């Protein structure tokens, strides 16, 4: 069963000097699949993730999520879609500076109104898996790049959303920590979650089921 179907996607940025980020990109992701997206810097990978996540608006083309035409989903419906279905690990982490690590991870649980005790259990479990338990009361500015990245991952997966989008989730990590992160992703995959992972690391791509390559905003054969 198809979870995501992107057809002939286009996206340009800017008004005067137009930059073409996507130029007719196609992508189909099956439910439960673990997929890698690879491509050079500037090829359009983050743009694709932002469109799937509903963070950016489509330029042209179509995007179906299950049976829903996402070009028609706006406002509260779009907010709910993002809250209930998707977890995103941003390339630049996007942690909230005034929140502790614990509060950052707690955010999606709070938004989905998870009872406090249950939320606390989930936060502690994922923090242990990602080895950030000692950091829970720290603030983002007190974290190393890799610690911030693991916090961002914890926040994206703590609700075990149906679809997890991760933008270079191992970019700031050493090899061993990177492997631990991939183990967390594999566990979610085994539970039936769908994962789309942008990566420059061939080892990360190799541990996914399939790799899609993008070049200048187009599919590369
Ligand atoms: N908000 C924006 N405004 C203008 N141009 C943008 C914007 N976001 C992306 N671009 C441009 O669109 C193109 C694709 O960018 P994108 O961020 O998708 O690349 P990427 O494949 O994720 O690269 P990287 O591997 O460096 O993260 C690039 O040429 C980039 O400069
Ligand atoms: Mg990017």
């Amino acid at each position: 069963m198809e979870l995501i179907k992107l057809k002939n996607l286009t996206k340009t940025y800017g008004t005067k000097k137009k930059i073409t980020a996507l130029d007719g990109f196609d992508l189909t992701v099956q439910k439960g699949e673990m997929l890698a997206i690879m491509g050079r810097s500037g090829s359009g990978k983050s743009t694709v993730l932002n469109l799937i996540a509903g963070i950016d608006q489509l330029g042209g083309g179509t995007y179906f999520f299950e049976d829903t035409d996402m070009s028609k989903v706006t406002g509260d419906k779009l907010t709910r879609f993002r809250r209930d279905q998707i977890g995103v690990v941003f390339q630049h982490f996007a942690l909230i500076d005034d929140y502790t690590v614990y509060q950052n991870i707690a955010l999606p649980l709070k938004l989905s109104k998870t009872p406090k005790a249950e939320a606390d259990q989930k936060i502690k479990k994922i923090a242990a898996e990602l080895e950030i338990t000692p950091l829970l009361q720290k603030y983002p500015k007190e974290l190393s790049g890799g610690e911030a990245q693991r916090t961002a991952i914890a926040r994206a997966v703590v609700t075990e959303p149906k679809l997890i989008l991760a933008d270079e989730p191992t970019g700031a990590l050493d090899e061993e920590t990177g492997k631990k992160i991939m183990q967390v992703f594999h566990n979610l995959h085994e539970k039936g979650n769908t994962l789309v992972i942008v990566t420059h690391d061939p080892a990360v791509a190799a541990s996914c089921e399939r790799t899609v390559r993008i070049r200048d905003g187009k599919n590369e054969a």
Side-chain angles (χ1 to χ4, degrees), residues 73-88:
V73 179
T74 55
D76 287 350
K77 264 199 180 152
L78 184 61
T79 307
R80 253 180 286 142
F81 165 76
R82 290 175 50 189
R83 184 192 67 199
D84 299 338
Q85 313 266 20
I86 294 187
V88 187

Side-chain angles (χ1 to χ4, degrees), residues 41-42 44-47 91-92 167-168 198 200:
S41 177
K45 304 179 299 296
S46 295
T47 303
Q91 188 165 13
H92 304 291
D167 204 343
E168 294 186 39
V198 166
H200 285 292

